[in-house]
Amino acid sequence: DTAVSQTPKYLVTQMGNDKSIKCEQNLGHDTMYWYKQDSKKFLKIMFSYNNKELIINETVPNRFSPKSPDKAHLNLHINSLELGDSAVYFCASSQGGTGGKFRAYNEQFFGPGTRLTVL
Amino acid sequence: EDQVTQSPEALRLQEGESSSLNCSYTVSGLRGLFWYRQDPGKGPEFLFTLYSAGEEKEKERLKATLTKKESFLHITAPKPEDSATYLCAVQAGGAQKLVFGQGTRLTINP
């Protein structure tokens, strides 16, 4: 199946721990994203990578560090977890590029999400 | 700052009862307006992209329209399986990020 996949689906951990979430897409896209969905269901962009290069870095604490080993993978590492980090984290991908020239490339496809609970 | 507001927050309809969801936006230089469907415990599923005022797109019982200030998602003769949260998002300026609204939770009763 062509898709965006994430692991793990659920992550329960103690405050202060360090954890990672992995994302992989086999759609052949060259841009990947991390979004956070809070308890009110608001989806907000955190980071975006295009061909392994960071292109969007919203106001996110330094404890969050994305890493893209290749254009099919984007991982999210979180240090010193806090209670407020509890949320659902979604990975997404799109064909990317400059976007303006290739309209269809703007469409973003999302993974199933990782529910992070910090106790 | 780009803003997206969806209304109503929640909508409950009887099966077959048509209605519309609204998405109002304020952006600098709209590049695209996107509609997604999200089922509980799942990621958003892409439905439509609209690029310019006057554009319309249809898929089964759903039809999305766009003006310079808002978009509507019309649902005709809905079925219980159309129950989900519908999310609207905009892409603006030179950015590739999507700015989402808070969603409309749609429930269709049999």
Side-chain angles (χ1 to χ4, degrees), chain A residues 18-66:
Chain A
D18 303 339
K19 289 292 177 187
S20 291
I21 307 172
K22 295 187 176 184
C23 177
E24 176 181 2
Q25 55 91 8
N26 61 6
L27 296 165
H29 292 165
D30 56 12
T31 304
M32 296 183 73
Y33 311 80
W34 278 112
Y35 285 85
K36 179 180 179 180
Q37 189 170 46
D38 60 25
S39 55
K40 293 185 178 178
K41 305 296 183 186
F42 246 115
L43 262 171
K44 196 167 178 185
I45 184 77
M46 299 173 69
F47 302 103
S48 174
Y49 271 77
N50 176 258
N51 266 324
K52 302 193 293 176
E53 183 185 344
L54 181 67
I55 56 171
I56 295 175
N57 185 350
E58 293 291 291
T59 310
V60 177
N62 289 340
R63 300 180 294 103
F64 290 79
S65 52

mmCIF file of all heavy atoms in Angstrom, chain A residues 18-66:
data_model
loop_
_atom_site.group_PDB
_atom_site.id
_atom_site.type_symbol
_atom_site.label_atom_id
_atom_site.label_comp_id
_atom_site.label_asym_id
_atom_site.label_seq_id
_atom_site.Cartn_x
_atom_site.Cartn_y
_atom_site.Cartn_z
ATOM 1 N N ASP A 18 13.239 11.102 27.064
ATOM 2 C CA ASP A 18 13.462 11.442 25.659
ATOM 3 C C ASP A 18 12.818 10.360 24.804
ATOM 4 O O ASP A 18 12.979 9.169 25.092
ATOM 5 C CB ASP A 18 14.966 11.480 25.334
ATOM 6 C CG ASP A 18 15.738 12.446 26.216
ATOM 7 O OD1 ASP A 18 15.113 13.359 26.776
ATOM 8 O OD2 ASP A 18 16.963 12.269 26.325
ATOM 9 N N LYS A 19 12.113 10.772 23.747
ATOM 10 C CA LYS A 19 11.449 9.784 22.892
ATOM 11 C C LYS A 19 11.534 10.205 21.429
ATOM 12 O O LYS A 19 11.720 11.399 21.122
ATOM 13 C CB LYS A 19 9.961 9.644 23.260
ATOM 14 C CG LYS A 19 9.724 8.960 24.591
ATOM 15 C CD LYS A 19 10.128 7.491 24.535
ATOM 16 C CE LYS A 19 9.953 6.822 25.888
ATOM 17 N NZ LYS A 19 10.488 5.446 25.906
ATOM 18 N N SER A 20 11.368 9.234 20.541
ATOM 19 C CA SER A 20 11.380 9.506 19.098
ATOM 20 C C SER A 20 10.150 8.925 18.419
ATOM 21 O O SER A 20 9.632 7.883 18.846
ATOM 22 C CB SER A 20 12.617 8.890 18.450
ATOM 23 O OG SER A 20 13.782 9.553 18.854
ATOM 24 N N ILE A 21 9.700 9.610 17.383
ATOM 25 C CA ILE A 21 8.618 9.128 16.526
ATOM 26 C C ILE A 21 9.179 9.046 15.110
ATOM 27 O O ILE A 21 9.896 9.956 14.668
ATOM 28 C CB ILE A 21 7.411 10.090 16.528
ATOM 29 C CG1 ILE A 21 6.958 10.395 17.958
ATOM 30 C CG2 ILE A 21 6.261 9.496 15.729
ATOM 31 C CD1 ILE A 21 5.908 11.486 18.035
ATOM 32 N N LYS A 22 8.844 7.949 14.428
ATOM 33 C CA LYS A 22 9.380 7.759 13.079
ATOM 34 C C LYS A 22 8.282 7.874 12.033
ATOM 35 O O LYS A 22 7.133 7.495 12.277
ATOM 36 C CB LYS A 22 10.047 6.390 12.968
ATOM 37 C CG LYS A 22 11.267 6.269 13.853
ATOM 38 C CD LYS A 22 12.007 4.973 13.602
ATOM 39 C CE LYS A 22 13.276 4.942 14.430
ATOM 40 N NZ LYS A 22 14.096 3.761 14.168
ATOM 41 N N CYS A 23 8.640 8.388 10.868
ATOM 42 C CA CYS A 23 7.693 8.530 9.774
ATOM 43 C C CYS A 23 8.348 8.111 8.473
ATOM 44 O O CYS A 23 9.510 8.448 8.210
ATOM 45 C CB CYS A 23 7.202 9.977 9.676
ATOM 46 S SG CYS A 23 6.090 10.261 8.279
ATOM 47 N N GLU A 24 7.581 7.401 7.660
ATOM 48 C CA GLU A 24 8.072 6.964 6.351
ATOM 49 C C GLU A 24 6.974 7.142 5.330
ATOM 50 O O GLU A 24 5.806 6.878 5.616
ATOM 51 C CB GLU A 24 8.490 5.492 6.411
ATOM 52 C CG GLU A 24 8.926 4.920 5.072
ATOM 53 C CD GLU A 24 9.309 3.454 5.156
ATOM 54 O OE1 GLU A 24 9.206 2.860 6.244
ATOM 55 O OE2 GLU A 24 9.712 2.903 4.117
ATOM 56 N N GLN A 25 7.328 7.600 4.132
ATOM 57 C CA GLN A 25 6.338 7.672 3.054
ATOM 58 C C GLN A 25 6.906 6.988 1.811
ATOM 59 O O GLN A 25 8.088 7.111 1.510
ATOM 60 C CB GLN A 25 5.935 9.130 2.759
ATOM 61 C CG GLN A 25 7.061 10.099 2.440
ATOM 62 C CD GLN A 25 7.386 10.221 0.966
ATOM 63 O OE1 GLN A 25 6.683 9.684 0.100
ATOM 64 N NE2 GLN A 25 8.452 10.947 0.648
ATOM 65 N N ASN A 26 6.021 6.256 1.131
ATOM 66 C CA ASN A 26 6.432 5.564 -0.094
ATOM 67 C C ASN A 26 5.671 6.112 -1.298
ATOM 68 O O ASN A 26 5.414 5.393 -2.268
ATOM 69 C CB ASN A 26 6.261 4.050 0.044
ATOM 70 C CG ASN A 26 4.810 3.657 0.302
ATOM 71 O OD1 ASN A 26 3.916 4.492 0.265
ATOM 72 N ND2 ASN A 26 4.586 2.393 0.573
ATOM 73 N N LEU A 27 5.294 7.397 -1.196
ATOM 74 C CA LEU A 27 4.551 8.054 -2.276
ATOM 75 C C LEU A 27 5.474 8.711 -3.287
ATOM 76 O O LEU A 27 5.001 9.301 -4.264
ATOM 77 C CB LEU A 27 3.610 9.108 -1.662
ATOM 78 C CG LEU A 27 2.525 8.539 -0.745
ATOM 79 C CD1 LEU A 27 1.899 9.645 0.093
ATOM 80 C CD2 LEU A 27 1.472 7.827 -1.558
ATOM 81 N N GLY A 28 6.780 8.674 -3.017
ATOM 82 C CA GLY A 28 7.729 9.326 -3.923
ATOM 83 C C GLY A 28 7.779 10.831 -3.758
ATOM 84 O O GLY A 28 8.329 11.539 -4.604
ATOM 85 N N HIS A 29 7.200 11.350 -2.656
ATOM 86 C CA HIS A 29 7.203 12.787 -2.404
ATOM 87 C C HIS A 29 8.566 13.253 -1.919
ATOM 88 O O HIS A 29 9.346 12.460 -1.381
ATOM 89 C CB HIS A 29 6.140 13.131 -1.351
ATOM 90 C CG HIS A 29 4.748 12.933 -1.841
ATOM 91 N ND1 HIS A 29 3.660 12.893 -0.983
ATOM 92 C CD2 HIS A 29 4.240 12.770 -3.080
ATOM 93 C CE1 HIS A 29 2.555 12.711 -1.690
ATOM 94 N NE2 HIS A 29 2.883 12.632 -2.971
ATOM 95 N N ASP A 30 8.839 14.556 -2.095
ATOM 96 C CA ASP A 30 10.122 15.039 -1.614
ATOM 97 C C ASP A 30 9.996 16.057 -0.491
ATOM 98 O O ASP A 30 10.990 16.630 -0.059
ATOM 99 C CB ASP A 30 10.965 15.615 -2.761
ATOM 100 C CG ASP A 30 10.247 16.709 -3.523
ATOM 101 O OD1 ASP A 30 9.210 17.188 -3.046
ATOM 102 O OD2 ASP A 30 10.730 17.082 -4.596
ATOM 103 N N THR A 31 8.780 16.291 -0.015
ATOM 104 C CA THR A 31 8.593 17.191 1.119
ATOM 105 C C THR A 31 7.799 16.479 2.201
ATOM 106 O O THR A 31 6.790 15.840 1.919
ATOM 107 C CB THR A 31 7.857 18.475 0.696
ATOM 108 O OG1 THR A 31 8.584 19.092 -0.363
ATOM 109 C CG2 THR A 31 7.749 19.450 1.863
ATOM 110 N N MET A 32 8.285 16.588 3.442
ATOM 111 C CA MET A 32 7.610 15.946 4.573
ATOM 112 C C MET A 32 7.417 16.954 5.692
ATOM 113 O O MET A 32 8.158 17.943 5.793
ATOM 114 C CB MET A 32 8.409 14.732 5.055
ATOM 115 C CG MET A 32 8.495 13.637 3.991
ATOM 116 S SD MET A 32 9.346 12.153 4.549
ATOM 117 C CE MET A 32 8.129 11.425 5.652
ATOM 118 N N TYR A 33 6.420 16.695 6.543
ATOM 119 C CA TYR A 33 6.007 17.658 7.563
ATOM 120 C C TYR A 33 5.719 16.946 8.880
ATOM 121 O O TYR A 33 5.336 15.771 8.893
ATOM 122 C CB TYR A 33 4.699 18.354 7.141
ATOM 123 C CG TYR A 33 4.666 18.908 5.746
ATOM 124 C CD1 TYR A 33 4.434 18.076 4.652
ATOM 125 C CD2 TYR A 33 4.842 20.268 5.509
ATOM 126 C CE1 TYR A 33 4.387 18.583 3.368
ATOM 127 C CE2 TYR A 33 4.791 20.786 4.221
ATOM 128 C CZ TYR A 33 4.564 19.932 3.159
ATOM 129 O OH TYR A 33 4.508 20.436 1.877
ATOM 130 N N TRP A 34 5.848 17.703 9.968
ATOM 131 C CA TRP A 34 5.320 17.292 11.261
ATOM 132 C C TRP A 34 4.286 18.320 11.707
ATOM 133 O O TRP A 34 4.554 19.524 11.687
ATOM 134 C CB TRP A 34 6.413 17.186 12.334
ATOM 135 C CG TRP A 34 7.174 15.903 12.287
ATOM 136 C CD1 TRP A 34 8.479 15.730 11.949
ATOM 137 C CD2 TRP A 34 6.676 14.597 12.595
ATOM 138 N NE1 TRP A 34 8.826 14.410 12.007
ATOM 139 C CE2 TRP A 34 7.743 13.677 12.401
ATOM 140 C CE3 TRP A 34 5.442 14.089 13.002
ATOM 141 C CZ2 TRP A 34 7.604 12.305 12.609
ATOM 142 C CZ3 TRP A 34 5.307 12.727 13.199
ATOM 143 C CH2 TRP A 34 6.384 11.848 13.017
ATOM 144 N N TYR A 35 3.102 17.810 12.097
ATOM 145 C CA TYR A 35 2.048 18.636 12.647
ATOM 146 C C TYR A 35 1.722 18.133 14.055
ATOM 147 O O TYR A 35 1.844 16.948 14.343
ATOM 148 C CB TYR A 35 0.765 18.534 11.813
ATOM 149 C CG TYR A 35 0.796 19.280 10.500
ATOM 150 C CD1 TYR A 35 1.344 18.696 9.357
ATOM 151 C CD2 TYR A 35 0.254 20.559 10.390
ATOM 152 C CE1 TYR A 35 1.354 19.371 8.141
ATOM 153 C CE2 TYR A 35 0.256 21.241 9.182
ATOM 154 C CZ TYR A 35 0.803 20.629 8.063
ATOM 155 O OH TYR A 35 0.814 21.298 6.866
ATOM 156 N N LYS A 36 1.241 19.043 14.891
ATOM 157 C CA LYS A 36 0.779 18.688 16.231
ATOM 158 C C LYS A 36 -0.710 18.997 16.311
ATOM 159 O O LYS A 36 -1.142 20.088 15.911
ATOM 160 C CB LYS A 36 1.550 19.495 17.275
ATOM 161 C CG LYS A 36 1.133 19.226 18.711
ATOM 162 C CD LYS A 36 1.965 20.071 19.674
ATOM 163 C CE LYS A 36 1.549 19.829 21.118
ATOM 164 N NZ LYS A 36 2.349 20.646 22.079
ATOM 165 N N GLN A 37 -1.495 18.040 16.814
ATOM 166 C CA GLN A 37 -2.921 18.261 17.024
ATOM 167 C C GLN A 37 -3.194 18.231 18.517
ATOM 168 O O GLN A 37 -3.014 17.208 19.176
ATOM 169 C CB GLN A 37 -3.762 17.212 16.302
ATOM 170 C CG GLN A 37 -5.261 17.527 16.309
ATOM 171 C CD GLN A 37 -6.060 16.614 15.396
ATOM 172 O OE1 GLN A 37 -5.872 15.404 15.393
ATOM 173 N NE2 GLN A 37 -6.950 17.192 14.609
ATOM 174 N N ASP A 38 -3.652 19.363 19.043
ATOM 175 C CA ASP A 38 -3.851 19.454 20.486
ATOM 176 C C ASP A 38 -5.219 18.892 20.884
ATOM 177 O O ASP A 38 -5.947 18.369 20.041
ATOM 178 C CB ASP A 38 -3.685 20.901 20.968
ATOM 179 C CG ASP A 38 -4.675 21.854 20.309
ATOM 180 O OD1 ASP A 38 -5.749 21.401 19.869
ATOM 181 O OD2 ASP A 38 -4.368 23.056 20.234
ATOM 182 N N SER A 39 -5.534 19.040 22.157
ATOM 183 C CA SER A 39 -6.767 18.434 22.687
ATOM 184 C C SER A 39 -8.017 19.064 22.079
ATOM 185 O O SER A 39 -9.081 18.449 22.059
ATOM 186 C CB SER A 39 -6.809 18.567 24.208
ATOM 187 O OG SER A 39 -6.672 19.922 24.572
ATOM 188 N N LYS A 40 -7.887 20.281 21.543
ATOM 189 C CA LYS A 40 -9.017 20.941 20.898
ATOM 190 C C LYS A 40 -9.062 20.625 19.410
ATOM 191 O O LYS A 40 -9.816 21.241 18.661
ATOM 192 C CB LYS A 40 -8.955 22.453 21.114
ATOM 193 C CG LYS A 40 -9.150 22.855 22.560
ATOM 194 C CD LYS A 40 -9.213 24.359 22.718
ATOM 195 C CE LYS A 40 -9.446 24.707 24.173
ATOM 196 N NZ LYS A 40 -9.462 26.156 24.404
ATOM 197 N N LYS A 41 -8.234 19.697 18.981
ATOM 198 C CA LYS A 41 -8.224 19.205 17.603
ATOM 199 C C LYS A 41 -7.614 20.167 16.595
ATOM 200 O O LYS A 41 -7.752 19.964 15.398
ATOM 201 C CB LYS A 41 -9.642 18.809 17.122
ATOM 202 C CG LYS A 41 -10.311 17.802 18.022
ATOM 203 C CD LYS A 41 -9.567 16.495 18.044
ATOM 204 C CE LYS A 41 -10.281 15.458 18.882
ATOM 205 N NZ LYS A 41 -9.488 14.217 19.032
ATOM 206 N N PHE A 42 -6.944 21.226 17.094
ATOM 207 C CA PHE A 42 -6.279 22.147 16.181
ATOM 208 C C PHE A 42 -4.996 21.523 15.651
ATOM 209 O O PHE A 42 -4.154 21.088 16.422
ATOM 210 C CB PHE A 42 -5.916 23.445 16.905
ATOM 211 C CG PHE A 42 -6.651 24.629 16.402
ATOM 212 C CD1 PHE A 42 -7.540 25.307 17.217
ATOM 213 C CD2 PHE A 42 -6.468 25.090 15.103
ATOM 214 C CE1 PHE A 42 -8.230 26.405 16.747
ATOM 215 C CE2 PHE A 42 -7.151 26.186 14.629
ATOM 216 C CZ PHE A 42 -8.041 26.856 15.459
ATOM 217 N N LEU A 43 -4.864 21.480 14.326
ATOM 218 C CA LEU A 43 -3.652 20.967 13.701
ATOM 219 C C LEU A 43 -2.720 22.133 13.410
ATOM 220 O O LEU A 43 -3.111 23.081 12.725
ATOM 221 C CB LEU A 43 -3.990 20.293 12.375
ATOM 222 C CG LEU A 43 -4.129 18.793 12.342
ATOM 223 C CD1 LEU A 43 -4.682 18.351 11.006
ATOM 224 C CD2 LEU A 43 -2.781 18.127 12.582
ATOM 225 N N LYS A 44 -1.462 22.028 13.901
ATOM 226 C CA LYS A 44 -0.531 23.133 13.701
ATOM 227 C C LYS A 44 0.807 22.617 13.192
ATOM 228 O O LYS A 44 1.339 21.651 13.724
ATOM 229 C CB LYS A 44 -0.339 23.883 15.013
ATOM 230 C CG LYS A 44 0.283 25.247 14.829
ATOM 231 C CD LYS A 44 0.181 26.078 16.082
ATOM 232 C CE LYS A 44 0.873 27.417 15.840
ATOM 233 N NZ LYS A 44 0.933 28.238 17.018
ATOM 234 N N ILE A 45 1.341 23.277 12.156
ATOM 235 C CA ILE A 45 2.617 22.868 11.580
ATOM 236 C C ILE A 45 3.737 23.067 12.584
ATOM 237 O O ILE A 45 3.754 24.031 13.352
ATOM 238 C CB ILE A 45 2.905 23.669 10.286
ATOM 239 C CG1 ILE A 45 4.188 23.187 9.608
ATOM 240 C CG2 ILE A 45 2.994 25.156 10.580
ATOM 241 C CD1 ILE A 45 4.054 21.920 8.860
ATOM 242 N N MET A 46 4.671 22.125 12.590
ATOM 243 C CA MET A 46 5.870 22.259 13.418
ATOM 244 C C MET A 46 7.103 22.420 12.523
ATOM 245 O O MET A 46 7.858 23.374 12.633
ATOM 246 C CB MET A 46 6.050 21.021 14.295
ATOM 247 C CG MET A 46 4.917 20.780 15.263
ATOM 248 S SD MET A 46 5.095 19.214 16.131
ATOM 249 C CE MET A 46 6.505 19.541 17.169
ATOM 250 N N PHE A 47 7.315 21.458 11.645
ATOM 251 C CA PHE A 47 8.500 21.444 10.790
ATOM 252 C C PHE A 47 8.142 20.945 9.395
ATOM 253 O O PHE A 47 7.166 20.239 9.212
ATOM 254 C CB PHE A 47 9.571 20.474 11.348
ATOM 255 C CG PHE A 47 10.030 20.767 12.725
ATOM 256 C CD1 PHE A 47 9.572 20.015 13.801
ATOM 257 C CD2 PHE A 47 10.955 21.775 12.964
ATOM 258 C CE1 PHE A 47 10.012 20.266 15.085
ATOM 259 C CE2 PHE A 47 11.401 22.032 14.247
ATOM 260 C CZ PHE A 47 10.919 21.279 15.306
ATOM 261 N N SER A 48 9.026 21.308 8.439
ATOM 262 C CA SER A 48 8.921 20.729 7.111
ATOM 263 C C SER A 48 10.319 20.556 6.529
ATOM 264 O O SER A 48 11.190 21.408 6.718
ATOM 265 C CB SER A 48 8.084 21.615 6.200
ATOM 266 O OG SER A 48 8.104 21.105 4.879
ATOM 267 N N TYR A 49 10.509 19.442 5.834
ATOM 268 C CA TYR A 49 11.767 19.159 5.144
ATOM 269 C C TYR A 49 11.474 18.942 3.670
ATOM 270 O O TYR A 49 10.532 18.255 3.306
ATOM 271 C CB TYR A 49 12.409 17.876 5.703
ATOM 272 C CG TYR A 49 13.331 18.089 6.863
ATOM 273 C CD1 TYR A 49 12.827 18.332 8.134
ATOM 274 C CD2 TYR A 49 14.705 18.046 6.697
ATOM 275 C CE1 TYR A 49 13.670 18.530 9.204
ATOM 276 C CE2 TYR A 49 15.563 18.238 7.766
ATOM 277 C CZ TYR A 49 15.037 18.485 9.018
ATOM 278 O OH TYR A 49 15.873 18.679 10.077
ATOM 279 N N ASN A 50 12.341 19.509 2.835
ATOM 280 C CA ASN A 50 12.279 19.262 1.404
ATOM 281 C C ASN A 50 13.614 18.662 0.984
ATOM 282 O O ASN A 50 14.655 19.300 1.125
ATOM 283 C CB ASN A 50 12.006 20.559 0.637
ATOM 284 C CG ASN A 50 12.025 20.353 -0.863
ATOM 285 O OD1 ASN A 50 12.997 20.675 -1.531
ATOM 286 N ND2 ASN A 50 10.951 19.805 -1.394
ATOM 287 N N ASN A 51 13.565 17.423 0.497
ATOM 288 C CA ASN A 51 14.807 16.753 0.102
ATOM 289 C C ASN A 51 15.887 16.825 1.176
ATOM 290 O O ASN A 51 17.032 17.204 0.912
ATOM 291 C CB ASN A 51 15.368 17.356 -1.191
ATOM 292 C CG ASN A 51 14.901 16.587 -2.407
ATOM 293 O OD1 ASN A 51 14.756 15.368 -2.364
ATOM 294 N ND2 ASN A 51 14.657 17.314 -3.468
ATOM 295 N N LYS A 52 15.515 16.492 2.370
ATOM 296 C CA LYS A 52 16.393 16.428 3.545
ATOM 297 C C LYS A 52 16.814 17.799 4.079
ATOM 298 O O LYS A 52 17.612 17.884 5.008
ATOM 299 C CB LYS A 52 17.651 15.584 3.273
ATOM 300 C CG LYS A 52 17.364 14.161 2.840
ATOM 301 C CD LYS A 52 18.597 13.299 2.903
ATOM 302 C CE LYS A 52 19.632 13.720 1.873
ATOM 303 N NZ LYS A 52 20.883 12.935 2.001
ATOM 304 N N GLU A 53 16.283 18.880 3.508
ATOM 305 C CA GLU A 53 16.647 20.218 3.972
ATOM 306 C C GLU A 53 15.491 20.840 4.737
ATOM 307 O O GLU A 53 14.345 20.841 4.264
ATOM 308 C CB GLU A 53 17.002 21.099 2.780
ATOM 309 C CG GLU A 53 17.463 22.490 3.156
ATOM 310 C CD GLU A 53 17.693 23.365 1.933
ATOM 311 O OE1 GLU A 53 17.781 22.818 0.820
ATOM 312 O OE2 GLU A 53 17.756 24.595 2.100
ATOM 313 N N LEU A 54 15.765 21.385 5.931
ATOM 314 C CA LEU A 54 14.735 22.012 6.747
ATOM 315 C C LEU A 54 14.262 23.295 6.075
ATOM 316 O O LEU A 54 15.067 24.190 5.793
ATOM 317 C CB LEU A 54 15.302 22.321 8.137
ATOM 318 C CG LEU A 54 14.350 22.952 9.144
ATOM 319 C CD1 LEU A 54 13.238 21.976 9.525
ATOM 320 C CD2 LEU A 54 15.114 23.399 10.381
ATOM 321 N N ILE A 55 12.934 23.404 5.797
ATOM 322 C CA ILE A 55 12.427 24.601 5.136
ATOM 323 C C ILE A 55 11.394 25.339 5.977
ATOM 324 O O ILE A 55 11.123 26.507 5.733
ATOM 325 C CB ILE A 55 11.839 24.291 3.739
ATOM 326 C CG1 ILE A 55 10.740 23.218 3.819
ATOM 327 C CG2 ILE A 55 12.926 23.881 2.774
ATOM 328 C CD1 ILE A 55 9.980 23.025 2.520
ATOM 329 N N ILE A 56 10.767 24.662 6.920
ATOM 330 C CA ILE A 56 9.837 25.323 7.839
ATOM 331 C C ILE A 56 10.221 24.913 9.247
ATOM 332 O O ILE A 56 10.389 23.736 9.544
ATOM 333 C CB ILE A 56 8.364 24.918 7.580
ATOM 334 C CG1 ILE A 56 7.908 25.396 6.205
ATOM 335 C CG2 ILE A 56 7.456 25.494 8.670
ATOM 336 C CD1 ILE A 56 6.507 24.921 5.836
ATOM 337 N N ASN A 57 10.355 25.900 10.103
ATOM 338 C CA ASN A 57 10.629 25.644 11.512
ATOM 339 C C ASN A 57 9.817 26.662 12.289
ATOM 340 O O ASN A 57 10.235 27.797 12.466
ATOM 341 C CB ASN A 57 12.130 25.778 11.788
ATOM 342 C CG ASN A 57 12.482 25.408 13.213
ATOM 343 O OD1 ASN A 57 11.606 25.216 14.058
ATOM 344 N ND2 ASN A 57 13.758 25.300 13.506
ATOM 345 N N GLU A 58 8.615 26.254 12.698
ATOM 346 C CA GLU A 58 7.746 27.167 13.416
ATOM 347 C C GLU A 58 8.283 27.348 14.838
ATOM 348 O O GLU A 58 9.283 26.762 15.210
ATOM 349 C CB GLU A 58 6.318 26.617 13.450
ATOM 350 C CG GLU A 58 5.682 26.596 12.081
ATOM 351 C CD GLU A 58 5.377 27.981 11.524
ATOM 352 O OE1 GLU A 58 4.484 28.652 12.067
ATOM 353 O OE2 GLU A 58 6.042 28.389 10.553
ATOM 354 N N THR A 59 7.583 28.149 15.615
ATOM 355 C CA THR A 59 8.048 28.424 16.975
ATOM 356 C C THR A 59 7.828 27.184 17.839
ATOM 357 O O THR A 59 6.776 26.997 18.421
ATOM 358 C CB THR A 59 7.277 29.624 17.571
ATOM 359 O OG1 THR A 59 7.310 30.693 16.636
ATOM 360 C CG2 THR A 59 7.899 30.050 18.882
ATOM 361 N N VAL A 60 8.819 26.343 17.840
ATOM 362 C CA VAL A 60 8.751 25.083 18.558
ATOM 363 C C VAL A 60 9.943 25.035 19.512
ATOM 364 O O VAL A 60 11.048 25.440 19.133
ATOM 365 C CB VAL A 60 8.825 23.897 17.566
ATOM 366 C CG1 VAL A 60 8.837 22.573 18.293
ATOM 367 C CG2 VAL A 60 7.670 23.948 16.574
ATOM 368 N N PRO A 61 9.745 24.571 20.760
ATOM 369 C CA PRO A 61 10.882 24.504 21.693
ATOM 370 C C PRO A 61 12.046 23.713 21.116
ATOM 371 O O PRO A 61 11.866 22.772 20.342
ATOM 372 C CB PRO A 61 10.279 23.790 22.909
ATOM 373 C CG PRO A 61 8.812 24.043 22.826
ATOM 374 C CD PRO A 61 8.488 24.116 21.364
ATOM 375 N N ASN A 62 13.257 24.092 21.548
ATOM 376 C CA ASN A 62 14.471 23.407 21.070
ATOM 377 C C ASN A 62 14.512 21.940 21.449
ATOM 378 O O ASN A 62 15.326 21.185 20.914
ATOM 379 C CB ASN A 62 15.720 24.091 21.653
ATOM 380 C CG ASN A 62 15.940 25.448 21.042
ATOM 381 O OD1 ASN A 62 15.425 25.738 19.963
ATOM 382 N ND2 ASN A 62 16.685 26.292 21.727
ATOM 383 N N ARG A 63 13.646 21.546 22.366
ATOM 384 C CA ARG A 63 13.605 20.130 22.778
ATOM 385 C C ARG A 63 13.131 19.231 21.639
ATOM 386 O O ARG A 63 13.327 18.025 21.676
ATOM 387 C CB ARG A 63 12.671 19.964 23.977
ATOM 388 C CG ARG A 63 13.076 20.771 25.201
ATOM 389 C CD ARG A 63 12.116 20.560 26.362
ATOM 390 N NE ARG A 63 10.784 21.069 26.089
ATOM 391 C CZ ARG A 63 9.745 20.317 25.766
ATOM 392 N NH1 ARG A 63 9.874 18.998 25.668
ATOM 393 N NH2 ARG A 63 8.558 20.861 25.547
ATOM 394 N N PHE A 64 12.492 19.848 20.643
ATOM 395 C CA PHE A 64 12.013 19.086 19.494
ATOM 396 C C PHE A 64 13.047 19.189 18.375
ATOM 397 O O PHE A 64 13.407 20.296 17.953
ATOM 398 C CB PHE A 64 10.681 19.655 18.985
ATOM 399 C CG PHE A 64 9.533 19.409 19.902
ATOM 400 C CD1 PHE A 64 9.338 20.193 21.028
ATOM 401 C CD2 PHE A 64 8.632 18.370 19.660
ATOM 402 C CE1 PHE A 64 8.276 19.960 21.883
ATOM 403 C CE2 PHE A 64 7.560 18.137 20.510
ATOM 404 C CZ PHE A 64 7.383 18.935 21.617
ATOM 405 N N SER A 65 13.520 18.041 17.910
ATOM 406 C CA SER A 65 14.495 18.083 16.816
ATOM 407 C C SER A 65 14.105 17.074 15.741
ATOM 408 O O SER A 65 14.095 15.859 15.976
ATOM 409 C CB SER A 65 15.908 17.815 17.328
ATOM 410 O OG SER A 65 15.953 16.639 18.085
ATOM 411 N N PRO A 66 13.788 17.571 14.557
ATOM 412 C CA PRO A 66 13.482 16.685 13.449
ATOM 413 C C PRO A 66 14.770 16.238 12.764
ATOM 414 O O PRO A 66 15.774 16.938 12.791
ATOM 415 C CB PRO A 66 12.666 17.586 12.513
ATOM 416 C CG PRO A 66 13.195 18.958 12.775
ATOM 417 C CD PRO A 66 13.664 18.990 14.193
#
